Amino acid sequence: MIKQYWKTILAVLVMAAAGLSYSCGDGSISEHMGEEQTESLGTSALSESGEETQAPVYHYVHICGEVKNPGVYQVLEGSRIFQAVEQAGGFTDEAASEYLNLAELTEDGMKIDVPSVEEVENGDFPVSEDAASAGGKVNINKADEKELMTLTGIGESRAADIIRYREENGGFQTVEDIMKVPGIKEGAFEKIKDNISV
């Protein structure tokens, strides 16, 4: 009888110990996985940027005229005008979308006024400050691919080369600097020099 009693006690203790071990083991595994997930999230954030992640920088632009939802929008620093226009719902059917340099970088406090086709055709819309200061010339530091292709001898690939050069070198200091772009020699420069500005 006593032997049977101790066997029962021993069995209960073994089962209790096994249950305790299981619950502790399970808890420690899940806790460990949580730590690994946290660490891996931290690592991926570091590996993408190569340094500690920083909060994104925003600024504000005012979009008015022929866009679907005119107003003030918060955009990421380094955004282009086309991205700001997209945030405003895109162009209306009446918009003269070709009037703007959609590849131009936005600036804090910038006003983007999108004219209608009718306003541009009637001359009711003022010429932009950039165009006025450049005397109607193509600004090789700001022009998009399409604008650059209006220059004599500049095709799609050469326009892409010009844009790539200015992005890699921080822009052109003088109009003569365009000859530093591969494929644009003195002869090609002579044909376009009176039609470009920086």
Side-chain angles (χ1 to χ4, degrees):
M1 184 76 174
I2 294 172
K3 204 171 189 181
Q4 183 65 34
Y5 173 76
W6 284 112
K7 276 186 180 178
T8 306
I9 294 293
L10 185 61
V12 169
L13 288 173
V14 168
M15 287 174 64
L20 184 64
S21 171
Y22 178 78
S23 66
C24 288
D26 187 46
S28 64
I29 288 170
S30 63
E31 188 180 335
H32 182 62
M33 284 177 67
E35 287 171 7
E36 281 183 351
Q37 288 170 350
T38 307
E39 285 171 12
S40 69
L41 286 172
T43 305
S44 65
L46 289 174
S47 62
E48 286 175 9
S49 63
E51 55 186 31
E52 288 185 24
T53 55
Q54 297 177 355
V57 178
Y58 294 94
H59 57 235
Y60 294 88
V61 294
H62 179 199
I63 309 176
C64 54
E66 297 298 329
V67 288
K68 292 177 182 172
N69 302 303
V72 175
Y73 288 87
Q74 184 184 56
V75 296
L76 270 171
E77 187 174 54
S79 295
R80 307 281 176 171
I81 285 181
F82 81 88
Q83 292 168 311
V85 170
E86 283 174 1
Q87 277 192 253
F91 294 113
T92 65
D93 294 337
E94 292 79 31
S97 57
E98 299 299 317
Y99 180 85
L100 298 173
N101 176 4
L102 297 178
E104 186 179 348
L105 287 168
T106 61
E107 297 172 10
D108 189 39
M110 181 182 210
K111 182 179 181 183
I112 303 167
D113 205 348
V114 183
S116 67
V117 172
E118 186 180 348
E119 286 174 320
V120 172
E121 286 176 353
N122 294 339
D124 296 336
F125 209 79
V127 177
S128 68
E129 289 178 18
D130 286 342
S133 63
K137 296 180 180 182
V138 174
N139 186 320
I140 56 176
N141 279 325
K142 295 183 177 181
D144 61 15
E145 194 172 286
K146 196 171 184 179
E147 288 175 289
L148 290 168
M149 287 169 62
T150 64
L151 297 168
T152 305
I154 304 297
E156 189 174 338
S157 62
R158 194 69 65 235
D161 289 340
I162 292 169
I163 291 170
R164 189 178 307 111
Y165 176 89
R166 76 187 186 205
E167 286 174 351
E168 291 174 357
N169 297 280
F172 299 97
Q173 302 304 310
T174 66
V175 292
E176 287 79 12
D177 283 348
I178 201 168
M179 288 189 282
K180 294 177 181 176
V181 175
I184 300 180
K185 304 298 179 198
E186 195 169 341
F189 173 68
E190 287 297 321
K191 292 177 185 175
I192 63 173
K193 67 178 183 180
D194 294 330
N195 299 311
I196 59 175
S197 68
V198 291

